[in-house]
Amino acid sequence: MIRKTNILEELSKVNLLNEREKNFQVVLELISSKPTSNNNFDFDKLDENRIFHLNSIKKTCIDFRLRFLDHKYFKNSLPKEAFSEISKLESTHDTILSNFKIMAPSRLFRLKNTDDPLLFVPLGNNYFYLIHKWGNDLHPYRKLLMWPLKNLRNMICFLLILSLVLTYITPTSIFSKVESWSVFWMIYFFMFKAIASIVIFYAFALGKNFNKVIWNSKYNKSI
């Protein structure tokens, strides 16, 4: 059985790499230097494993084609456990939490689904505190499947490789009686041109965009 992707584990790995130069005390000092005006936390009671920097969230969203948006754009209902965690935090820190953020696949901001959402609240200075994770884990190959959609460079590389594979398995005899490298590269050129045209048409027709653009966009409807 192939293990599904736990997005919180992936986020924690990225966060650990990004924050390896800083100890917990330094992180708290950074947060306290520019706290949010709405959420007042007792820093001594924060769990360091639940604090994530925006850069870590951004990279994880781009790698797995996720969104990080205000809770008001989320189309699903929060589970009872999330409300329980919110109440527990508010009681522990003697505060009222607000400005909730959701990290989840794009379709959860358009349709009701249960794929691995994460609920955050801002701490300040681009740091966020994880309140609750629920739902199903992501497809085990999601990161690989979403790799071509990260940016234009990845898409071009993917199309070049795909065109090469398709050219290799296409019988040369269909186009020429003589087998040669010149014929192969000619077929490869037309194969790439045809696939690229289909991808461009599909992207424009459905309003698709790259992960790097949509990860925090509340306007782009792409899934």
Side-chain angles (χ1 to χ4, degrees):
M1 292 289 291
I2 300 175
R3 184 171 177 268
K4 288 189 174 183
T5 300
N6 185 316
I7 199 61
L8 179 54
E9 292 180 2
E10 298 298 325
L11 176 59
S12 297
K13 292 176 187 176
V14 175
N15 200 57
L16 182 62
L17 291 174
N18 285 345
E19 298 299 319
R20 64 183 182 276
E21 302 296 334
K22 303 171 186 172
N23 58 39
F24 185 46
Q25 192 59 42
V26 173
V27 171
L28 292 183
E29 289 174 3
L30 287 171
I31 295 170
S32 61
S33 67
K34 193 178 178 182
T36 60
S37 57
N38 298 314
N39 298 311
N40 299 311
F41 285 92
D42 182 346
F43 292 159
D44 293 332
K45 297 178 180 178
L46 290 175
D47 180 356
E48 61 180 296
N49 295 316
R50 286 176 170 260
I51 297 176
F52 297 91
H53 192 269
L54 183 62
N55 289 338
S56 302
I57 294 172
K58 177 180 178 180
K59 185 181 187 309
T60 306
C61 285
I62 291 173
D63 285 346
F64 290 90
R65 197 169 178 81
L66 307 174
R67 294 280 184 92
F68 186 63
L69 296 175
D70 293 340
H71 169 253
K72 65 182 180 180
Y73 297 108
F74 191 62
K75 300 304 181 185
N76 289 250
S77 300
L78 296 181
K80 292 180 180 179
E81 294 80 7
F83 287 109
S84 175
E85 291 296 327
I86 292 172
S87 297
K88 190 186 301 182
L89 272 177
E90 290 181 334
S91 176
T92 301
H93 296 271
D94 191 23
T95 187
I96 301 297
L97 300 180
S98 60
N99 299 332
F100 297 101
K101 306 278 283 190
I102 295 281
M103 177 181 175
S106 296
R107 63 178 173 273
L108 269 70
F109 293 98
R110 299 194 303 125
L111 305 169
K112 290 194 173 183
N113 210 307
T114 56
D115 284 344
D116 213 24
L118 277 68
L119 177 66
F120 294 86
V121 69
L123 292 172
N125 216 353
N126 284 331
Y127 282 91
F128 294 83
Y129 195 74
L130 174 68
I131 295 178
H132 188 59
K133 171 193 175 295
W134 71 98
N136 304 319
D137 288 336
L138 300 177
H139 190 283
Y141 296 126
R142 184 180 178 92
K143 186 175 182 179
L144 179 63
L145 294 172
M146 297 303 165
W147 182 85
L149 300 174
K150 283 181 69 173
N151 50 51
L152 181 60
R153 181 183 61 187
N154 285 20
M155 178 57 70
I156 292 175
C157 289
F158 171 72
L159 293 178
L160 288 171
I161 294 170
L162 178 61
S163 300
L164 186 62
V165 172
L166 293 177
T167 302
Y168 183 78
I169 63 176
T170 300
T172 310
S173 58
I174 296 177
F175 302 94
S176 175
K177 295 181 179 179
V178 180
E179 292 191 9
S180 65
W181 281 110
S182 60
V183 174
F184 177 86
W185 290 116
M186 181 186 70
I187 297 173
Y188 175 69
F189 171 76
F190 284 106
M191 188 72 73
F192 174 78
K193 187 177 178 181
I195 296 173
S197 299
I198 294 171
V199 170
I200 292 172
F201 174 78
Y202 173 74
F204 276 105
L206 297 183
K208 297 293 180 180
N209 214 324
F210 295 110
N211 301 0
K212 202 168 184 178
V213 176
I214 73 166
W215 78 275
N216 65 344
S217 171
K218 58 182 178 288
Y219 300 109
N220 196 296
K221 302 295 185 183
S222 300
I223 62 171

